[in-house]
Amino acid sequence: MVRNASKFLAYLSTAAALLLAGPARADDCIPSLRILNSVQMQATTDRTVMVVPVKIDNADKKLLLDTGGLVSQISRATADGLDLPQHHSDQRLRDLAGNASSAEATIPKFTLGVQNEREVPMAVAPNPDLGTSLPYDGLLATDLFPGDDIDMDFGARRLTTFSPDHCEGRVIYWPADRIARVPITESHNLIIIPVMVDGHPLNAVMDTGSQFTVMNMGVANQLFGLTPSSPSVTPSVETNGDKSITLYRHLFDKLTFEGVEVSNLQVYLLPNQVAVHDRPRSLLLLAPSHMPLSGSRMFQSAGPITEPELESLSIPDVIIGMDVLRHLHVYFAAKEKRLYITDAVLGESALFRYKE
């Protein structure tokens, strides 16, 4: 896809260059960041998750920022309301409450910040609450930013994508006293990091689409001896459309990952009863599975998942939700396979504190 040039991006690129310019290393790496796109996020009224404004066929809509989603989705209410062309897909999405969808919509024009694309295929979400009782019209997953650095400034509520072609480690353009450098692995668009929970090493998915932090009930039982009947475990019934599921809550003393420490964190325990094509969506219960997409680079998926891989999908050890992430500024460096994390700073983004 040809990325649109604009005075806005030129201004931001200059600001980033002012912050990051310096002598190049011996390998002639690019010393400054190059901004590709930047949009102002909005918090939902309950301030638990972030939504991103987009235009779908010139209609103003909002998508939930969802780094824990395997694929971006549009709500059925939005697809029907805009009379978008729809067709049956061979891939079937099913959320944890059992709602299913095998439809795919074609968006005539999709606009995100200064980027736009035509004839964009997008899965129709199975969750009936999307676009109705939930205050957003779909899910914005990382499959829409393949290969790009993704900067999530939750203090300033700004989502920015950068070119991954820069000097290694030269990404912190904002004032920060402490910086956590977290190695990651990626699996089907998911960002996975090592964490410690009460002294036990686990793998966690970073999930901006989840209101709360979640743990696999099997892991909770094996490592901590927790069961639904444990005195420290509290049941909670959550609804999704006309269906419901029971989750359980437990207070853990400490969750840490590479310089970030969270004390007395209430974690939801989710039974590992996920069937093929399911994935947990914490309290939002939006569990999308993978659906291969086609189209330009902006909308290209990382590749199909085989049936044996689908059979092996289960709830991750831990899902780190927005109850933790909203206090942070997180920069995902795609080529480095690393997260750079600092405390979030309220107010205007550092990108706008410098003049051209």
Side-chain angles (χ1 to χ4, degrees), residues 95-298:
D95 68 19
L96 198 59
N99 302 299
S101 172
S102 57
E104 183 178 272
T106 300
I107 300 175
K109 183 180 179 182
F110 183 92
T111 303
L112 173 63
V114 298
Q115 296 177 295
N116 62 78
E117 182 73 6
R118 295 187 180 277
E119 303 301 318
V120 177
M122 190 172 290
V124 176
N127 187 346
D129 291 339
L130 277 177
T132 55
S133 60
L134 289 175
Y136 32 84
D137 307 289
L139 309 179
L140 179 64
T142 61
D143 61 330
L144 267 64
F145 313 106
D148 294 343
D149 285 6
I150 305 173
D151 179 40
M152 293 163 284
D153 184 351
F154 294 116
R157 299 180 181 178
R158 180 160 289 277
L159 175 67
T160 304
T161 55
F162 290 88
S163 166
D165 298 320
H166 53 74
C167 292
E168 183 173 334
R170 298 285 294 275
V171 302
I172 303 299
Y173 61 85
W174 62 95
D177 295 328
R178 296 179 302 169
I179 303 170
R181 296 169 174 83
V182 184
I184 70 163
T185 56
E186 288 184 272
S187 177
H188 309 305
N189 300 322
L190 302 180
I191 299 171
I192 303 169
I193 64 176
V195 300
M196 295 282 288
V197 180
D198 286 358
H200 292 276
L202 296 168
N203 289 320
V205 170
M206 188 185 74
D207 190 354
T208 60
S210 176
Q211 292 173 309
F212 299 101
T213 297
V214 176
M215 180 180 287
N216 184 317
M217 176 65 89
V219 171
N221 176 256
Q222 181 180 4
L223 295 183
F224 305 101
L226 298 174
T227 68
S229 59
S230 296
S232 60
V233 173
T234 304
S236 176
V237 178
E238 303 296 331
T239 60
N240 180 219
D242 59 353
K243 302 172 183 178
S244 63
I245 186 172
T246 301
L247 307 176
Y248 302 89
R249 293 174 293 174
H250 176 74
L251 191 68
F252 285 91
D253 291 334
K254 188 179 296 185
L255 180 148
T256 60
F257 52 96
E258 205 66 38
V260 177
E261 180 176 306
V262 184
S263 300
N264 299 319
L265 179 63
Q266 182 171 253
V267 175
Y268 282 78
L269 310 179
L270 195 61
N272 193 14
Q273 300 173 346
V274 182
V276 172
H277 295 280
D278 288 357
R279 197 186 72 78
R281 294 300 310 127
S282 182
L283 300 187
L284 298 179
L285 302 178
L286 301 180
S289 75
H290 175 87
M291 176 182 290
L293 298 180
S294 60
S296 69
R297 179 176 179 275
M298 181 179 176

Side-chain angles (χ1 to χ4, degrees), residues 31-99:
S32 60
L33 293 177
R34 180 168 63 90
I35 294 174
L36 304 176
N37 202 358
S38 189
V39 294
Q40 188 74 51
M41 297 186 289
Q42 303 167 8
T44 52
T45 53
D46 58 8
R47 303 183 65 185
T48 56
V49 290
M50 291 288 180
V51 296
V52 180
V54 300
K55 286 185 181 292
I56 296 178
D57 200 19
N58 293 321
D60 290 324
K61 298 295 179 182
K62 298 175 182 178
L63 300 183
L64 171 71
L65 179 64
D66 186 18
T67 60
L70 296 174
V71 63
S72 298
Q73 300 176 37
I74 187 173
S75 72
R76 183 170 299 280
T78 300
D80 291 344
L82 295 178
D83 198 26
L84 300 180
Q86 299 182 42
H87 64 273
H88 175 79
S89 170
D90 291 336
Q91 296 288 344
R92 183 179 179 86
L93 303 185
R94 184 183 298 117
D95 68 19
L96 198 59
N99 302 299

